[in-house]
């Protein structure tokens, strides 16, 4: 069993796509074992995306991620990291496969509706960034 962190980004919340993301998770038999809404500060977004600190898009990305509320969830299941990334689609919505969340809803390489961890180590860091163990049901 694996766990991964999902975020419905500010564009997804603002555009009313929270329910659609959750519906797709439930239809894929992915378990949601923690969930909350919060609004990150710029510093919190910078800490979350610290691996991207040197990238040209870092400042814009962290402005965007702290621009409004997000919904953070912990997902659990077999190979859920890859399974959820498949549901999300490629980072660039133009390259994302048909039927993926990003292909269906994203408008921009930055404003791409959802986040998902990319490996067990990053998932552990990202889950711990938002949730303590009493907030995760299993
Ligand atoms: N991003 C961006 N421009 C780029 C690449 C990424 O604005 O050229 C943003 C986008 O919101 C992406 C996030 O930075 O989701 C993190 O990038 P990463 O490469 O980790 O993509 P992801 O894992 O989210 O698919
Ligand atoms: Mg990533």
């Amino acid at each position: 069993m694996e766990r991964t962190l999902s975020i419905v980004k500010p564009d997804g919340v603002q555009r009313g796509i929270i329910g659609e993301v959750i519906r797709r998770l439930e239809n894929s038999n992915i378990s949601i074992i923690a969930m909350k809404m919060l609004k990150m500060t710029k510093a919190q977004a910078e800490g979350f995306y610290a691996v991207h600190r040197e990238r040209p898009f870092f400042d814009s990305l962290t402005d965007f991620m702290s621009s409004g509320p997000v919904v953070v969830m912990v997902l659990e299941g077999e190979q859920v990291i890859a399974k959820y990334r498949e549901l999300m689609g490629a980072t660039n919505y133009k390259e994302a496969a048909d039927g993926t969340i990003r292909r269906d809803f994203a408008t921009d390489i930055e404003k791409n509706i959802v986040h998902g961890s990319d490996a067990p180590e990053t998932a552990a860091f990202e889950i711990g960034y938002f949730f303590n163990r009493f907030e995760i049901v299993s």
Side-chain angles (χ1 to χ4, degrees), residues 5-25:
L5 184 84
S6 159
I7 305 180
V8 182
K9 294 183 178 185
D11 58 333
V13 174
Q14 206 269 325
R15 290 174 52 204
I17 301 169
I18 302 169
E20 178 65 25
V21 172
I22 292 173
R23 190 178 67 73
R24 290 182 185 211
L25 292 169

Side-chain angles (χ1 to χ4, degrees), residues 66-78:
S66 58
S67 69
V70 297
V71 172
V72 289
M73 291 179 260
V74 181
L75 312 179
E76 186 174 70
E78 274 175 34

Side-chain angles (χ1 to χ4, degrees), residues 1-71:
M1 285 292 247
E2 273 178 358
R3 289 179 178 185
T4 194
L5 184 84
S6 159
I7 305 180
V8 182
K9 294 183 178 185
D11 58 333
V13 174
Q14 206 269 325
R15 290 174 52 204
I17 301 169
I18 302 169
E20 178 65 25
V21 172
I22 292 173
R23 190 178 67 73
R24 290 182 185 211
L25 292 169
E26 290 180 334
N27 285 350
S28 303
N29 288 314
I30 291 174
S31 301
I32 300 166
I33 60 169
M35 171 159 58
K36 62 189 169 192
M37 179 177 277
L38 56 91
K39 185 172 181 293
M40 280 187 266
T41 63
K42 172 84 169 166
Q44 286 167 337
E46 287 170 349
F48 179 75
Y49 275 121
V51 300
H52 291 318
R53 184 150 303 182
E54 306 304 327
R55 303 286 206 94
F57 57 81
F58 182 71
D59 192 50
S60 175
L61 173 64
T62 53
D63 275 346
F64 164 55
M65 289 299 288
S66 58
S67 69
V70 297
V71 172

Side-chain angles (χ1 to χ4, degrees), residues 9 48-49 51-52 55-58 60-62 64-65 85 88-92 102 108-118 126:
K9 294 183 178 185
F48 179 75
Y49 275 121
V51 300
H52 291 318
R55 303 286 206 94
F57 57 81
F58 182 71
S60 175
L61 173 64
T62 53
F64 164 55
M65 289 299 288
R85 287 196 66 97
M88 291 197 309
T91 309
N92 184 348
R102 284 166 165 174
D108 188 283
I109 190 165
E110 178 180 85
K111 294 173 183 61
N112 59 4
I113 312 290
V114 279
H115 167 83
S117 313
D118 61 7
E126 292 175 1

